[in-house]
Amino acid sequence: MKITPIKSSVNFKGLVIIPFFEQEENDASISFESFTISKHLFLGKKDSQFILEDNGSERIYLLVGLGKSPNYKNVKTVFRRLTARQEVLFEKKVLVWLNDKMDSDFLEAAVSGLFLGTYRLGHYKKSENEAKNWSKINISIFSAVNESKKIIEKGLKIAAAQIETFNLVDLPPNKITPKYLADWASDAGKKFGFDVKVLDKKKAEKENLKAFLAVGQGSQREPQFIIMKYRSKSAKKHFGLVGKGVTFDTGGLNIKTQGMVHMKCDMGGAATVLGAMQLIADLGLEVNITAVVPCVENAIDSRSFLPSDVIGSYSGKTIEVIDTDAEGRLILADGLSYLIQNFKPDTVIDFATLTGSAVGTFGYECAALFSKNEELSKNLQQYGEKIGERLWPLPMWDEYKTEMDSEIADIKNYHGKPYAGAITAAKFLEYFTENHTSWAHIDIAGTAFGDSEFAKTKHATAYGVHLLIKLIENL
Ligand code: BES
Ligand code: MG
Ligand code: ZN
């Protein structure tokens, strides 16, 4: 899909899409150029549309209601709906006409939405009618916003990275293996400009990534520990990222009895970090990033790790495995200590589909945020609210840490109780962060993958990709 700004709509023939804010009841009827529409027919209400054909000018006008004061996510959704549900509209020439109340955020959200709406879940469908070739579709946007070309390009880059994240999460686990993620990272590194190093099993053994390897030892698919570095000459800050890359979570020998079918999403944190790396490099952000993405499959096999095993870790601390389904925290423990010990980033953020408890607490609307750093926590919440990728904090009091004390090892991976699951998981991770003073853990079990109006099955959301960019841009 190509989207270009235009400065004049005179002589345009084709489909003109005009978004409208909802009018107050006593406002005049809606008018645009030569036509007026009675307020009884169209008021700009949320989710409303009005189509009218003008044979004289050879234009079809599609009026799209936005509601009174749509936020960023509302605007994005309105435009995503157009390309997702009304793809036949996008055949001939298309012009999107924005009025002067629609600012640069509006423009960015509209562009991202249009591009995101071209994503389809039917990756393996051999349907008779070929899927639409969106690369041939050109859309013009009329907008009074300064530097609209730059903003359009940015909106497209954000959506492109989010679509990559969709692909990684939605494709099945027999395709998205640890090796696939490692290859994806290497390719993206070459294409967008960041360094990628991958530790295979042998190299990970040499590096003593013992907790990471324990989780992967029951799988035919070799674990891959991905390390990515993006460097900018004008960087003032060094950011560290970690993403949980469990390409499928059977639960291990503590086999899942519920919801296993959705566990291809358990590399959602990895996909967030990979998508964000693409976007950071694509936008050329002035920051240094080091990202670590441990990738494994948590499989069931005679070689799988056992409940009650005591395993080592990169940090040297020992871990008693109470439950093999609490595997994410084990690979993240090694990811976090490897990142912090070797690269000493100023700020560290990890993304992980870590606990069912986070879903139980917040549902699908918001991610669980854990951080003792108030500034980082506030910034994340503020930018998340702006773009509709919400987070809400849960406490990090040390009383919760004592729940994780083990009698045989330094720590255990599960307290064995049916409460405070997301918090105790966060306290486990904290034990491996070398007392870093600027670390946030984001549990995205509820937000990475879910239902929406855009599909009948659960699917990826790319939660976190844009959030990270917002945070980094505003350092
Ligand atoms: N991958 C799951 C968490 C999850 C749940 C992700 C729902 C996405 C949606 C994680 O590895 C897990 O199994 N967590 C257990 C931990 C428990 C055994 C301590 C959980 O939350 O039940
Ligand atoms: Mg699990
Ligand atoms: Zn898991």
Side-chain angles (χ1 to χ4, degrees):
M1 169 184 283
K2 242 200 209 131
I3 303 186
T4 38
I6 55 162
K7 281 295 161 210
S8 159
S9 61
V10 188
N11 293 332
F12 176 86
K13 291 179 182 132
L15 176 72
V16 186
I17 298 173
I18 314 171
F20 275 99
F21 293 117
E22 185 175 344
Q23 314 272 304
E24 297 299 334
E25 291 286 341
N26 54 358
D27 273 10
S29 300
I30 276 179
S31 46
F32 177 78
E33 290 185 354
S34 60
F35 65 81
T36 303
I37 293 167
S38 153
K39 61 186 174 195
H40 303 296
L41 292 173
F42 182 78
L43 263 176
K45 276 199 191 301
K46 194 168 171 276
D47 303 335
S48 68
Q49 284 194 349
F50 192 84
I51 298 185
L52 104 174
E53 197 166 358
D54 178 12
N55 289 329
S57 63
E58 290 176 52
R59 289 179 178 189
I60 295 170
Y61 293 99
L62 172 64
L63 314 193
V64 182
L66 296 164
K68 282 201 178 104
S69 45
N71 61 28
Y72 188 94
K73 195 178 177 187
N74 300 145
V75 174
K76 196 167 89 172
T77 304
V78 164
F79 282 88
R80 183 171 173 182
R81 238 179 243 152
L82 293 171
T83 38
R85 298 238 195 90
Q86 292 173 284
E87 68 173 38
V88 289
L89 292 175
F90 296 84
E91 285 303 339
K92 297 186 192 134
K93 290 183 89 180
V94 179
L95 166 69
V96 178
W97 197 93
L98 305 185
N99 71 34
D100 52 14
K101 287 197 193 92
M102 296 166 179
D103 62 5
S104 54
D105 277 344
F106 188 107
L107 176 60
E108 182 189 283
V111 168
S112 280
L114 286 169
F115 193 12
L116 289 173
T118 66
Y119 178 72
R120 299 287 177 270
L121 276 179
H123 295 282
Y124 291 88
K125 270 191 183 298
K126 252 194 182 166
S127 56
E128 313 81 64
N129 27 345
E130 288 279 293
K132 191 182 184 81
N133 185 356
W134 286 98
S135 64
K136 286 199 177 137
I137 306 294
N138 291 306
I139 300 175
S140 306
I141 300 197
F142 177 86
S143 160
V145 166
N146 282 334
E147 304 199 57
S148 53
K149 185 165 187 277
K150 242 174 138 178
I151 289 156
I152 290 170
E153 271 165 18
K154 187 171 176 192
L156 288 173
K157 284 179 178 181
I158 294 169
Q162 289 169 327
I163 288 175
E164 284 300 324
T165 301
F166 290 171
N167 283 323
L168 293 176
V169 175
D170 288 332
L171 284 167
N174 55 345
K175 166 111 177 160
I176 307 294
T177 59
K179 186 73 170 65
Y180 185 99
L181 292 176
D183 292 343
W184 187 96
S186 302
D187 292 348
K190 277 181 212 128
K191 186 162 170 211
F192 293 95
F194 54 88
D195 282 343
V196 180
K197 190 171 139 189
V198 178
L199 307 180
D200 59 13
K201 184 163 173 256
K202 226 171 161 184
K203 287 182 185 147
E205 276 165 0
K206 261 203 195 124
E207 289 284 349
N208 276 320
L209 293 161
K210 291 180 179 166
F212 162 73
L213 288 165
V215 177
Q217 76 193 30
S219 174
Q220 295 258 25
R221 296 178 169 122
E222 193 183 351
Q224 307 276 308
F225 194 88
I226 307 171
I227 304 148
M228 294 171 283
K229 285 188 216 167
Y230 167 80
R231 297 291 180 262
S232 159
K233 285 201 180 92
S234 29
K236 288 189 196 80
K237 229 182 145 180
H238 181 195
F239 240 80
L241 301 173
V242 182
K244 173 179 172 182
V246 175
T247 58
F248 195 76
D249 184 11
T250 63
L253 289 169
N254 292 106
I255 188 168
K256 281 192 183 294
T257 52
Q258 270 187 336
M260 196 201 292
V261 70
H262 300 307
M263 284 304 132
K264 68 175 181 182
C265 80
D266 215 17
M267 35 61 70
T272 296
V273 170
L274 292 170
M277 284 305 286
Q278 163 171 331
L279 188 50
I280 289 161
D282 201 11
L283 294 172
L285 297 190
E286 298 180 339
V287 66
N288 288 338
I289 309 271
T290 308
V292 167
V293 179
C295 301
V296 293
E297 187 188 67
N298 189 19
I300 300 169
D301 183 80
S302 65
R303 281 174 293 195
S304 294
F305 69 139
L306 306 173
S308 82
D309 269 354
V310 175
I311 61 175
S313 67
Y314 183 77
S315 67
K317 291 166 177 159
T318 56
I319 306 165
E320 179 186 10
V321 177
I322 301 294
D323 194 311
T324 59
D325 200 10
E327 84 298 339
R329 62 198 74 183
L330 300 174
I331 68 168
L332 288 174
D334 275 359
L336 285 165
S337 26
Y338 187 89
L339 172 72
I340 294 167
Q341 283 187 25
N342 292 297
F343 300 100
K344 303 180 175 52
D346 303 315
T347 291
V348 177
I349 301 184
D350 74 77
F351 285 87
T353 48
L354 203 62
T355 66
S357 161
V359 190
T361 308
F362 293 121
Y364 302 98
E365 186 48 39
C366 114
L369 168 63
F370 299 89
S371 182
K372 282 181 173 165
N373 187 306
E374 272 186 30
E375 194 190 344
L376 179 59
S377 187
K378 260 204 199 119
N379 283 337
L380 279 164
Q381 282 184 83
Q382 185 193 317
Y383 296 122
E385 189 62 40
K386 256 200 173 128
I387 56 163
E389 296 186 7
R390 288 181 163 146
L391 329 90
W392 204 257
L394 286 173
M396 286 291 273
W397 297 309
D398 283 334
E399 283 75 6
Y400 289 107
K401 164 64 178 53
T402 55
E403 295 273 1
M404 305 302 274
D405 292 345
S406 164
E407 231 126 35
I408 194 170
D410 293 323
I411 191 165
K412 60 187 176 191
N413 78 332
Y414 177 38
H415 64 336
K417 296 169 192 169
Y419 52 75
I423 304 175
T424 47
K427 292 306 284 185
F428 179 91
L429 295 183
E430 187 187 35
Y431 192 60
F432 296 90
T433 57
E434 320 267 316
N435 298 316
H436 200 291
T437 53
S438 181
W439 163 64
H441 157 56
I442 304 178
D443 191 332
I444 57 170
T447 53
F449 189 73
D451 296 307
S452 85
E453 62 173 279
F454 296 110
K456 293 188 188 83
T457 51
K458 287 189 193 292
H459 57 95
T461 65
Y463 178 96
V465 173
H466 194 186
L467 174 66
L468 267 176
I469 270 60
K470 275 279 186 209
L471 182 78
I472 291 165
E473 276 178 342
N474 289 287
L475 285 176

